[in-house]
Amino acid sequence: MAQEIKVPFFKASIGKEEEDAVLRVMRSGWLTTGKEALTFEKEFAQKINVPHALCVNSNTSGMILAMEACGVGPGTAVITTPYTFVSTATSARHLNADVYFADVEEDSYSISPESIKKILEGPKGKNVKAIVPVHIAGNVCNMKEIMELARRFNVKVIEDCAHSFPSLTDMGYAGAIGDIGVFSFYATKTITTAEGGMVTTKDPELAKRMTVMRLHGMDRTTWDRYTSPRASWEYDIIAPGFKCNLPDMLAALGRVQLERADEFYQKRVRHVEKFNEAFSKLDFVELPPDSKGNAWHLYLIRLNLEKLDCDRNTFAKELQEMGLGISMHFIPLFHFTYWKKLYPDFTPENFPNAQKQYSRTITLPLWPDMTEDMVSYVIECVQKAGREHHA
């Protein structure tokens, strides 16, 4: 019998404004990429203070576009973290490039600049075209040191911002610090288009390349072909492009969500404050990493396993049995068959920080419209499981 979910892991905040926006597009007669997507791009670019933003149909598509524009391909490599969703790394493999993995910092989930430096200074460094830091759970990586390394070794920086909108740091918004930022608007993200994403850059040449590659390598957009006086069938294919565009229906949803982004953020912060207050009193829980600009997309507790008589999985299963929708962010890539076969030395032993964080981390529910009772119940479940397993 399926366990009753009392607090879902996530539920998107969709209201009448979002419904009206999608219906408006459905009734307009133009469903694919058009003026809604173009407007969404302009509004998003303005929000994070970059000159160029391109809608895409997923963060994964955006990552492939970004890497290709940065020269990633056969005989080259990117540096990223094993502590990420698989598409961060497989995007490079789709371009027939290698992936060099850098461990995370000892006290966080963020990629370690020191580990990046060791790769760049070693024999593999000459092959690296881009560093891909991943801003886990909305907490921004040490971009100051990463950008210094990128300038020193003349490589690009592609920020994986799937978790980090709207993260604002002293260096600017996440996605506007490196050469390219790649966002996700998947159903569980801080704003959603159901499926989709955005690529941002300050570099006009990178923007131009990604624009061409986003839609089959055409030299004209669909909107231009069918709305300008020039004949719609007059276009050229100037590169072997992809199919990564975002339809107007989804862009319309994203535009409303973008307007509500700050509202969503403030609601998440209020929930986080209650979590932090309660969990800071528990000796078997370590609070999530935090720094200026944290978007608080996810709430990741870290178990102090020395204070418990069980492992992380047992603790997590008991939370599920109490009706919490939980998750794990992330299963490090060295645990997956594909990567183990590809790189024999890609093992937990060679990435001790990533393995340690994974072995004790549980992602709790965190979404804007959680009620006070839901927040209290999440706290109660963690407290109860801890009492039952306290060593």
Side-chain angles (χ1 to χ4, degrees):
M1 185 176 183
Q3 175 65 45
E4 177 190 0
I5 300 297
K6 296 181 179 179
V7 183
F9 176 68
F10 188 85
K11 185 177 180 181
S13 298
I14 302 293
K16 188 175 186 304
E17 289 184 355
E18 285 88 350
E19 294 173 2
D20 289 345
V22 172
L23 285 171
R24 183 186 71 245
V25 174
M26 291 178 68
R27 292 164 178 163
S28 73
W30 185 279
L31 303 183
T32 187
T33 306
K35 63 180 180 180
E36 289 287 339
L38 292 171
T39 305
F40 186 29
E41 291 173 345
K42 292 175 183 177
E43 292 170 345
F44 193 87
Q46 183 177 23
K47 174 66 177 178
I48 71 164
N49 194 29
V50 291
H52 307 285
L54 303 173
C55 291
V56 288
N57 56 16
S58 70
N59 172 277
T60 304
S61 294
M63 193 62 65
I64 293 171
L65 288 174
M67 289 183 184
E68 196 277 340
C70 290
V72 175
T76 71
V78 302
I79 297 174
T80 194
T81 167
Y83 212 100
T84 184
F85 187 63
V86 65
S87 62
T88 307
T90 52
S91 295
R93 296 298 298 150
H94 289 313
L95 296 168
N96 295 309
D98 278 317
V99 184
Y100 302 151
F101 292 99
D103 204 359
V104 299
E105 297 171 329
E106 186 175 2
D107 60 348
S108 80
Y109 302 97
S110 298
I111 192 169
S112 163
E114 185 60 33
S115 189
I116 294 172
K117 181 182 177 184
K118 288 180 181 177
I119 296 172
L120 290 171
E121 290 180 337
K124 294 181 178 179
K126 65 180 183 300
N127 299 329
V128 175
K129 286 289 186 179
I131 302 167
V132 188
V134 183
H135 305 313
I136 303 292
N139 197 44
V140 179
C141 297
N142 187 339
M143 292 302 294
K144 184 176 184 294
E145 290 189 27
I146 291 171
M147 293 305 296
E148 288 173 355
L149 286 169
R151 286 190 289 267
R152 176 182 166 188
F153 290 93
N154 192 31
V155 298
K156 300 292 187 183
V157 174
I158 301 170
E159 298 176 73
D160 188 332
C161 300
H163 289 186
S164 59
F165 178 74
S167 295
L168 178 59
T169 75
D170 291 337
M171 298 180 71
Y173 278 96
I177 303 171
D179 295 281
I180 300 176
V182 187
F183 294 83
S184 173
F185 304 141
Y186 180 65
T188 61
K189 297 302 190 288
T190 55
I191 66 171
T192 186
T193 56
E195 294 279 359
M198 190 77 75
V199 181
T200 58
T201 184
K202 291 172 279 190
D203 187 322
E205 291 303 313
L206 291 176
K208 182 178 179 180
R209 178 64 180 182
M210 291 187 291
T211 299
V212 169
M213 296 301 287
R214 176 175 56 172
L215 192 64
H216 303 297
M218 288 184 185
D219 65 346
R220 297 177 67 191
T221 67
T222 304
W223 180 249
D224 175 69
R225 286 171 55 208
Y226 286 94
T227 60
S228 73
R230 182 181 167 194
S232 62
W233 61 88
E234 292 181 355
Y235 63 85
D236 193 11
I237 301 297
I238 59 177
F242 308 104
K243 181 73 165 66
C244 306
N245 59 300
L246 186 74
D248 263 14
M249 279 198 295
L250 303 188
L253 172 58
R255 290 184 63 199
V256 179
Q257 290 271 296
L258 181 62
E259 290 180 358
R260 302 179 65 195
D262 292 335
E263 168 203 336
F264 294 159
Y265 170 72
Q266 293 299 331
K267 288 181 177 180
R268 291 195 305 275
V269 168
R270 287 197 289 271
H271 301 332
V272 166
E273 288 172 348
K274 292 177 182 177
F275 285 155
N276 283 348
E277 181 182 4
F279 297 147
S280 64
K281 300 172 184 176
L282 306 178
D283 64 357
F284 60 89
V285 170
E286 186 176 335
L287 299 183
D290 188 19
S291 63
K292 185 173 183 179
N294 195 341
W296 287 113
H297 165 49
L298 300 173
Y299 194 88
L300 280 59
I301 61 167
R302 295 173 288 180
L303 300 178
N304 183 351
L305 295 174
E306 293 180 356
K307 298 291 185 179
L308 299 169
D309 64 7
C310 68
D311 61 12
R312 186 274 313 275
N313 286 355
T314 299
F315 198 100
K317 287 176 182 176
E318 295 199 6
L319 294 180
Q320 284 185 315
E321 289 170 0
M322 287 185 271
L324 292 193
I326 61 167
S327 189
M328 305 289 178
H329 290 83
F330 284 102
I331 302 172
L333 303 189
F334 46 70
H335 285 291
F336 294 126
T337 299
Y338 171 78
W339 294 103
K340 288 191 287 188
K341 288 183 176 180
L342 185 65
Y343 300 126
D345 62 345
F346 190 32
T347 64
E349 293 75 21
N350 288 328
F351 299 86
N353 294 338
Q355 177 58 23
K356 179 182 177 182
Q357 297 289 28
Y358 166 62
S359 69
R360 65 193 187 113
T361 294
I362 300 172
T363 311
L364 299 178
L366 176 63
W367 37 281
D369 293 339
M370 288 176 69
T371 65
E372 290 187 10
D373 286 345
M374 288 178 174
V375 173
S376 297
Y377 188 68
V378 172
I379 294 169
E380 178 186 328
C381 290
V382 173
Q383 291 171 332
K384 181 179 179 182
R387 285 194 302 269
E388 292 179 354
H389 288 286
H390 206 281

